[in-house]
Amino acid sequence: MKFFLDTANVDEIKRIAKLGLADGVTTNPSLIAKEGRDFKTVIQEICSIVSGPVSAEVIGTKAEDMLKEAYEIAQWAPNVVIKLPMTEDGLYACHELTQNGIKTNVTLIFSVAQGLMAAKAGATYISPFVGRLDDIGVEGMKLIRELRTVIDNYGYKSEIIVASIRGIAHVEQAAIAGAHIGTIPGSLLPSLWKHPLTDIGIEKFLADWGKMKQ
Ligand code: G3P
């Protein structure tokens, strides 16, 4: 499974990129606003750190506005991907951008039907939100398993980005379900390489080594 970082924080991205673990980055308007920096500057900086796809989301709600933003954003860096909302206008924009060779990520997907629509419109990536489904008492990971089946059934080219990941279990379950990509908050990712028994084990090895007569 590829790891994308779900953050617009450049320090978090640099830390993970150094380990070779950042296959791409996803941002959204909330994450960009949190950084308090200029949208274009942040996206271009991220695109220079990570060679993989970097999603930048449009804020227009009408297809015409989405497309205007998308054609502008697409010029910012060669690895930028246009993130579009899962609406009729978003699908229209996705279809047109795909026809023009621009990569897209259709976001805010909460059902198999929505994922199917985005795949059929040619989305490079589809982003189902597992955490927000769990929040309303619906098993988010079930949607990932079902979307994987649909994509395999018909050979759609879209890759599933598991989004709204809230914990290690989500990452593990996404990989087991065969998701192509998990987009992981920058603050969560370091917890993936940690385990209390690893720390206890290191402590014991060092203590035993210290007892050895030199
Ligand atoms: O990738 C989408 C993600 O940022 C949403 O996460 O935790 O706000 O549901 P969350």
Side-chain angles (χ1 to χ4, degrees):
M1 184 169 74
K2 283 177 271 187
F3 277 5
F4 285 4
L5 283 169
D6 197 26
T7 181
N9 184 285
V10 168
D11 291 334
E12 286 178 349
I13 295 167
K14 282 182 181 163
R15 178 182 176 191
I16 305 303
K18 274 188 200 156
L19 307 178
L21 294 173
D23 298 308
V25 172
T26 52
T27 68
N28 61 39
S30 306
L31 292 171
I32 296 285
K34 200 171 143 197
E35 295 306 307
R37 299 176 61 203
D38 173 64
F39 183 29
K40 180 177 177 180
T41 308
V42 177
I43 293 296
Q44 286 185 320
E45 192 174 347
I46 296 172
C47 286
S48 70
I49 300 167
V50 174
S51 58
V54 174
S55 290
E57 189 160 344
V58 299
I59 50 158
T61 54
K62 297 278 166 235
E64 188 190 343
D65 299 328
M66 290 179 193
L67 286 166
K68 201 170 159 218
E69 287 176 66
Y71 287 120
E72 160 72 18
I73 294 169
Q75 290 174 27
W76 291 352
N79 52 334
V80 84
V81 171
I82 307 300
K83 204 169 181 190
L84 301 158
M86 177 62 234
T87 59
E88 181 175 355
D89 287 78
L91 288 174
Y92 179 94
C94 175
H95 179 58
E96 180 176 316
L97 292 169
T98 302
Q99 284 183 319
N100 287 310
I102 294 174
K103 290 188 175 160
T104 58
N105 174 1
V106 177
T107 189
L108 291 162
I109 287 179
F110 294 95
S111 71
V112 172
Q114 288 183 318
L116 182 57
M117 294 302 99
K120 284 180 70 66
T124 318
Y125 304 102
I126 59 174
S127 291
F129 278 35
V130 291
R132 292 192 196 182
L133 278 171
D134 290 351
D135 288 346
I136 58 159
V138 176
E139 191 204 341
M141 211 47 68
K142 180 167 171 275
L143 176 60
I144 305 306
R145 293 192 293 271
E146 292 172 347
L147 284 172
R148 181 71 223 213
T149 301
V150 169
I151 283 179
D152 290 347
N153 282 350
Y154 299 101
Y156 292 121
K157 292 200 180 85
S158 308
E159 291 190 65
I160 300 167
I161 302 180
V162 180
S164 188
I165 281 179
R166 304 277 174 77
I168 297 173
H170 274 153
V171 179
E172 293 173 341
Q173 289 160 14
I176 292 164
H180 305 89
I181 302 148
T183 192
I184 305 164
S187 53
L188 172 68
L189 204 140
S191 62
L192 292 176
W193 64 67
K194 288 182 187 152
H195 194 285
L197 289 178
T198 305
D199 297 336
I200 292 167
I202 291 170
E203 211 173 297
K204 179 154 178 21
F205 286 154
L206 292 179
D208 290 345
W209 185 259
K211 285 181 213 152
M212 238 184 8
K213 289 213 171 89
Q214 302 293 336

